[in-house]
Amino acid sequence: MNESGHRYFVINKPYNMVSQFISPDKVRLLGDLDFDFPEGTHAVGRLDNNSEGLLLLTTNKRVTRLLFESEQPHKRTYLVMVKNIVTQETIEKLRQGVTIRIKGGVDWVTTPCEAEIVEKPAYMLPRIHHPLKEFLPHSWLRITLTEGKFHQVRKMTAAIHHHCDRLIRESIEDLQLGDLPPGGVREMEETEFFRLLKIENWQPEASILPQE
């Protein structure tokens, strides 16, 4: 048990599962994973139903604010399979920033990011419920962002005219998904969790006792 009493988990969220423990809809939930999470566990941020990969769970309510609402942006890296062959010229457009539509119908130019064409990951397991037509022309990309608008990666690939077929979050800063299988859960020690996320101000300030 960590000194704070909080617990921290990394999971590989499978395809076709929402990032919640409770939903009014008939969907696969985090509670369906084969793990006994403690009371008060919640997801830090989220991956949508069709996205896969690294998702953080914790009982510490401060983590979301420290990670996603801090002045220091944190890098998130995604593996993306898109339709058709992506060119280096198109990748350069992604790197420089593309225009996407965000909440309120506003056009937004994405912050310059890291993007590259990569080989298909050797460890990727085929989807059971959604077979991919990998015999058709496609490309695998690795994209690293420091901002997180709603469905941003999917909107970015759409902006360069390549539909996103598969989206896997690979890492947040130095915290890697690694070889964790889909549906797998790994518990982490508190200090290591924050070190890999590059969050330094995670310890609550000691309470100041009144002077007598």
Side-chain angles (χ1 to χ4, degrees):
M1 175 67 71
N2 298 304
E3 286 187 15
S4 67
H6 290 300
R7 294 174 68 182
Y8 305 86
F9 308 93
V10 171
I11 74 166
N12 184 346
K13 190 192 84 65
Y15 176 80
N16 195 27
M17 175 180 283
V18 298
S19 302
Q20 302 162 226
F21 283 94
I22 300 173
S23 173
D25 303 313
K26 194 172 182 180
V27 291
R28 293 174 70 204
L29 300 166
L30 296 175
D32 294 328
L33 296 174
D34 186 20
F35 193 88
D36 186 17
F37 292 102
E39 185 177 350
T41 300
H42 64 278
V44 179
R46 64 178 54 196
L47 290 171
D48 65 36
N49 185 53
N50 296 330
S51 299
E52 309 161 66
L54 179 68
L55 183 65
L56 308 179
L57 304 182
T58 181
T59 57
N60 187 343
K61 294 180 180 179
R62 298 181 68 232
V63 176
T64 298
R65 178 174 58 81
L66 290 170
L67 187 61
F68 296 122
E69 299 173 18
S70 65
E71 294 182 4
Q72 177 65 37
H74 289 83
K75 291 183 178 181
R76 280 100 71 185
T77 299
Y78 302 85
L79 279 170
V80 190
M81 178 184 169
V82 298
K83 281 187 169 66
N84 298 318
I85 304 302
V86 177
T87 65
Q88 286 296 338
E89 182 182 6
T90 302
I91 279 290
E92 192 56 38
K93 291 179 182 178
L94 273 185
R95 291 172 179 162
Q96 293 176 2
V98 293
T99 301
I100 62 173
R101 187 64 56 88
I102 62 172
K103 188 176 180 180
V106 178
D107 283 342
W108 174 272
V109 178
T110 60
T111 301
C113 69
E114 299 172 31
E116 61 178 338
I117 302 168
V118 296
E119 295 294 322
K120 176 185 176 181
Y123 63 83
M124 283 292 118
L125 299 176
R127 270 188 204 148
I128 297 173
H129 302 295
H130 184 76
L132 296 170
K133 297 179 180 178
E134 295 198 29
F135 57 88
L136 296 176
H138 65 276
S139 300
W140 281 92
L141 312 178
R142 178 173 283 116
I143 301 173
T144 298
L145 305 178
T146 55
E147 60 182 353
K149 302 298 182 185
F150 182 67
H151 286 171
Q152 179 163 339
V153 175
R154 295 180 187 277
K155 290 178 179 179
M156 288 174 68
T157 61
I160 58 169
H161 310 294
H162 288 273
H163 180 269
C164 176
D165 270 343
R166 194 167 188 182
L167 177 64
I168 304 109
R169 185 155 61 195
E170 216 178 14
S171 65
I172 301 176
E173 288 293 355
D174 291 339
L175 206 166
Q176 304 280 337
L177 183 64
D179 58 1
L180 195 64
V185 180
R186 180 171 72 242
E187 185 162 6
M188 297 195 64
E189 187 273 328
E190 186 170 55
T191 302
E192 182 73 353
F193 178 82
F194 286 108
R195 183 186 73 80
L196 292 174
L197 290 176
K198 299 184 179 179
I199 296 175
E200 298 179 353
N201 59 333
W202 59 272
Q203 291 177 307
E205 295 182 9
S207 57
I208 302 175
L209 298 176
Q211 296 183 348
E212 293 182 358

